Amino acid sequence: MAELILFNKPFQVLSQFTDDRAGQPRATLAQWIKKPGFYPAGRLDYDSEGLLLLTNHGALQHRIASPANKMQKTYWVQVEGEISDDAIGQLCSGVELKDGLTRPASARRIAEPEVWARVPPVRYRESIPTSWLELTITEGRNRQVRRMTAAVGYPTLRLIRYRIGDWTLDGLKPGHFRLETIHLPDTPPAGKQNPRKAKPGRRTTNRRPSRK
């Protein structure tokens, strides 16, 4: 048994509980989550929004965050300009970045999603249109989505993570979280583990909603 927090991280919040940078302090998870023993399973950039998972169980944290498990992550991305078919194709086939070629992704145009207003809002430029796409990747490189869209000619203006594996943002307002209980499968004996087959634990239907 393990517990998992699904948190809708607001814009400009660190995905950690302390800020080690000197000077003006930045918002951290401690402002919203008061449950000791929970730690992020992966991270989400300061200037990105959306789903962040936290758990009090080391094995579950590893299953979610380990690059070897190739867990899918889906983002809603607002980019500068009307993204072209060619750019979509490049994102799907892999984009050459400074740290190498990205794995093939799933990318498609979407209508502007019905999401909360960002504070502060994205800068509006009348002469330059924007568009939205849904991008699903299986890697976790530093600022990967932003670098991918910039590499194909469409800088990211707003980035919202909607899904990690089977977990989504559905029903969560910014700054709110939901607590779920997870049944983890039995751990194979030492030397018998196959990271390619590792999957997140099964969720129970007994959910305990939490306030922010």
Side-chain angles (χ1 to χ4, degrees):
M1 298 283 287
E3 289 188 311
L4 185 72
I5 288 176
L6 285 69
F7 177 56
N8 187 348
K9 187 188 85 67
F11 180 64
Q12 292 187 341
V13 173
L14 292 172
S15 57
Q16 57 196 50
F17 286 92
T18 59
D19 182 11
D20 300 326
R21 190 184 72 175
Q24 184 67 29
R26 295 170 291 181
T28 71
L29 298 178
Q31 185 172 336
W32 286 273
I33 298 175
K34 309 296 184 181
K35 291 185 171 293
F38 281 82
Y39 299 94
R43 61 187 304 275
L44 187 60
D45 290 332
Y46 177 72
D47 51 357
S48 298
E49 308 159 71
L51 186 61
L52 181 68
L53 301 179
L54 302 92
T55 182
N56 60 355
H57 195 283
L60 180 58
Q61 183 182 40
H62 175 75
R63 288 171 187 270
I64 295 170
S66 173
N69 292 334
K70 301 180 182 179
M71 184 169 287
Q72 290 188 341
K73 303 175 184 68
T74 297
Y75 297 83
W76 291 337
V77 193
Q78 184 182 20
V79 297
E80 186 175 280
E82 294 285 352
I83 193 163
S84 67
D85 290 341
D86 181 64
I88 292 287
Q90 290 181 62
L91 293 171
C92 289
S93 60
V95 179
E96 189 65 49
L97 303 177
K98 288 184 178 179
D99 51 356
L101 185 69
T102 63
R103 294 175 187 159
S106 173
R108 64 185 183 95
R109 293 186 197 84
I110 59 171
E112 181 176 351
E114 295 183 4
V115 293
W116 56 93
R118 201 188 78 176
V119 181
V122 173
R123 185 178 65 168
Y124 174 71
R125 300 172 67 182
E126 186 175 356
S127 60
I128 301 178
T130 68
S131 53
W132 285 84
L133 67 144
E134 182 180 86
L135 181 64
T136 300
I137 62 175
T138 57
E139 297 176 281
R141 305 188 198 187
N142 185 44
R143 301 183 71 81
Q144 180 174 342
V145 172
R146 295 178 185 276
R147 291 193 291 146
M148 287 176 69
T149 67
V152 299
Y154 296 87
T156 290
L157 300 174
R158 187 178 183 187
L159 184 59
I160 300 171
R161 185 159 65 195
Y162 170 69
R163 180 189 298 272
I164 301 174
D166 293 330
W167 297 288
T168 74
L169 274 182
D170 292 342
L172 286 175
K173 298 178 181 180
H176 287 242
F177 66 85
R178 180 170 67 248
L179 185 65
E180 295 189 355
T181 301
I182 307 297
H183 288 285
L184 292 174
D186 293 335
T187 303
K192 299 294 185 180
Q193 295 187 14
N194 185 346
R196 291 178 297 177
K197 295 183 179 180
K199 295 181 179 180
R202 178 172 59 84
R203 290 175 286 179
T204 68
T205 57
N206 181 23
R207 297 182 180 180
R208 304 205 300 274
S210 303
R211 63 182 179 83
K212 72 174 185 177

